[in-house]
Amino acid sequence: MAIITASAIIRALSLFHLSLSYFLIASPSTIAKQSLVSILGASMQLPTPPSFWVASPSTALAALILALLGFTDLTACSLPEDIASYYWGSQAPIRCTFFFALTGYAYAFKPGGPVRGNAKQANPWDNLNTSLVFTWSFLEMINWFWIFITLREERRELAVRKAERKRAEENML
């Protein structure tokens, strides 16, 4: 049995999204100055974008998307246990895979990275090669993997409970 349920992890992650949303609107530099962002960014040799030092239309759009994600996930956490198990069971691997790909892309395709090398040709996807994108996608990947593993344990426990309940009903007849 898991110490922390998948629902609790998802709720905490949703509140994290809402907090990030607030800081992206109010003070994006607070996020850019966080030690975790600095440490991960420096260790992966990724720059912090200068657009995150002040509020801008792009940070406001990112804040709205994170707020939507936070509110919809909080709403989905209130689903009945059976339905929530199927919903989150399909969401967790997709989100984990997406954030794994985004984390890998942010590192591998950076200028001077293992795939791109020292090519100086700029492309529109270079905006994803930042310390903020890498840190956010890395934390999301870790959390969604944790949720996926916890959901598997909970699904197994739910199946055992259903089987025990069914046996108890058969014994009563």
Side-chain angles (χ1 to χ4, degrees), residues 2 5 7-8 12 15 27 29 40 45 52 67 70 82 118 124 127 144 160 170:
T5 65
S7 179
L15 294 175
S27 175
S29 63
L40 283 176
Q45 300 171 347
F52 267 83
D82 291 343
N118 292 326
N127 294 325
W144 283 108
V160 167
E170 288 174 358

Side-chain angles (χ1 to χ4, degrees), residues 55-109:
S56 67
S58 59
T59 60
L61 178 63
L64 289 175
I65 292 170
L66 283 171
L68 176 68
L69 191 62
F71 284 127
T72 56
D73 286 353
L74 275 176
T75 304
C77 276
S78 63
L79 291 170
E81 188 176 12
D82 291 343
I83 298 170
S85 175
Y86 288 113
Y87 176 76
W88 292 115
S90 64
Q91 287 291 308
I94 292 169
R95 292 186 189 194
C96 186
T97 303
F98 175 80
F99 287 115
F100 179 78
L102 183 58
T103 303
Y105 180 85
Y107 174 72
F109 287 89

Side-chain angles (χ1 to χ4, degrees), residues 92-148:
I94 292 169
R95 292 186 189 194
C96 186
T97 303
F98 175 80
F99 287 115
F100 179 78
L102 183 58
T103 303
Y105 180 85
Y107 174 72
F109 287 89
K110 68 181 179 180
V115 173
R116 194 161 160 202
N118 292 326
K120 300 292 183 198
Q121 184 180 10
N123 68 45
W125 296 95
D126 283 347
N127 294 325
L128 294 177
N129 301 332
T130 66
S131 61
L132 292 165
V133 171
F134 180 83
T135 302
W136 174 65
S137 61
F138 184 71
L139 292 175
E140 289 279 338
M141 178 188 62
I142 289 170
N143 279 304
W144 283 108
F145 184 72
W146 185 18
I147 291 166
F148 176 70

